[in-house]
Amino acid sequence: MNRLDISLIRDLPPFVGMEVVDLQNILAQATAHRHEKGTTIFSESEKANYFYLLLDGHIRVVKINQNGEQMIARYISAGESYGIAKAIGRDTYPANAVAAVDCLSLAWPTKIWDDIILQHPNFATNSYQTVGKRLFETQERMLELATAKVEQRVANVILKLANQTGKKTEEGILIDFPISRQDISEMTGTTLHTVSRLMSAWEDKGWVKSGRQKIVLVEGHKLMLVATNAAD
DNA sequence: CCATTAAAGGATT
DNA sequence: AATCCTTTAATGG
């Protein structure tokens, strides 16, 4: 009855440990959504009518202050759920979600969240593990923002992104979606100029190769040293 | 050490 | 052509 095959989701984190019938049941209630690069999928404080699973693409999760200044809270990669407001006890979205590239997602109406949680304990467990993991990551970033120098923070995000979404090329590990200096600065609490200067310096040393909205990590271990060494 | 401001040039649409 | 992205330099906290 459904054109979606369970092989789409079977091995993804939100669904590990689930039986085929359960997967089929859940999948039958999903609809596929496309989001063009640059479009806002949902906005902060908007009613959370759907929760999502990203099948393909990359999504930026963004917080904005009263001044209109932005901070990138995280990137969502393929296989991750997002917009799961109910999992953190909300009925509105906690941030904005923007498609960093053309994206393909599955979506479920939030009103069936409670049913799914009740009927599929594995899904419930996986969901709170996801929430816990993200909380942990957020705390680590807070610690970093409070204690690490700009140089270390920038080195760190580049390493993390390369790890998360890196694609091997002849030159090195390519961060597999368009990312600007501005984006990096919004992740590290600095300015695009400082990011630009750091990246230029690292490029001169041959540690990275970069261009417009493009970063290739060439000498990962060198950046590791920058990221971990508090000393100059 | 890092932010801000300004200026200028290249890339993209 | 207009807009977006990056670089570089100067200045100041």
Side-chain angles (χ1 to χ4, degrees):
Chain A
M1 264 319 0
N2 201 306
R3 53 260 140 30
L4 302 169
D5 189 279
I6 60 159
S7 64
L8 272 179
I9 64 168
R10 188 182 46 203
D11 301 318
L12 303 179
F15 305 103
V16 294
M18 292 182 60
E19 302 293 331
V20 169
V21 274
D22 293 324
L23 291 172
Q24 283 167 338
N25 174 278
I26 284 184
L27 201 48
Q29 308 183 65
T31 50
H33 293 226
R34 294 193 164 282
H35 301 284
E36 204 183 323
K37 175 182 174 180
T39 56
T40 297
I41 299 166
F42 54 72
S43 303
E44 176 163 2
S45 77
E46 171 184 315
K47 187 106 198 307
N49 290 322
Y50 291 91
F51 63 97
Y52 299 87
L53 174 77
L54 183 62
L55 290 179
D56 188 48
H58 295 279
I59 288 168
R60 250 197 321 270
V61 179
V62 180
K63 297 282 283 184
I64 303 181
N65 71 7
Q66 294 78 4
N67 248 334
E69 294 164 321
Q70 299 194 0
M71 173 190 168
I72 298 178
R74 64 171 61 262
Y75 275 91
I76 302 291
S77 303
E80 293 188 79
S81 50
Y82 64 101
I84 52 176
K86 276 269 186 179
I88 53 173
R90 301 173 51 106
D91 54 7
T92 57
Y93 294 117
N96 297 8
V98 180
V101 294
D102 289 346
C103 289
L104 177 61
S105 300
L106 293 179
W108 291 264
T110 296
K111 60 180 167 202
I112 67 172
W113 175 270
D114 290 334
D115 271 355
I116 291 184
I117 290 295
L118 281 175
Q119 288 166 29
H120 308 289
N122 274 312
F123 181 83
T125 304
N126 296 337
S127 294
Y128 71 67
Q129 283 186 2
T130 297
V131 171
K133 192 177 118 236
R134 290 179 186 174
L135 173 62
F136 180 79
E137 286 168 5
T138 303
Q139 289 177 160
E140 289 222 304
R141 281 193 60 202
M142 282 186 55
L143 179 65
E144 196 183 81
L145 275 171
T147 62
K149 293 185 302 183
V150 168
E151 195 185 27
Q152 303 174 264
R153 307 204 298 267
V154 174
N156 226 297
V157 270
I158 292 174
L159 287 168
K160 258 193 246 169
L161 289 172
N163 257 325
Q164 232 179 65
T165 78
K167 217 175 92 185
K168 283 206 182 74
T169 68
E170 314 83 52
E171 302 188 304
I173 302 170
L174 169 72
I175 294 176
D176 204 19
F177 55 86
I179 184 156
S180 68
R181 316 283 139 146
Q182 174 86 50
D183 293 332
I184 301 282
S185 71
E186 286 177 13
M187 281 185 274
T188 51
T190 182
T191 63
L192 73 162
H193 306 113
T194 298
V195 174
S196 178
R197 281 189 288 265
L198 286 171
M199 302 262 296
S200 297
W202 293 338
E203 176 134 26
D204 288 345
K205 295 180 183 176
W207 299 353
V208 301
K209 290 208 86 177
S210 67
R212 189 190 171 88
Q213 299 196 120
K214 186 188 117 185
I215 300 173
V216 180
L217 182 58
V218 182
E219 304 262 13
H221 53 287
K222 294 286 189 186
L223 277 200
M224 286 274 294
L225 289 178
V226 176
T228 47
N229 254 350
D232 293 345

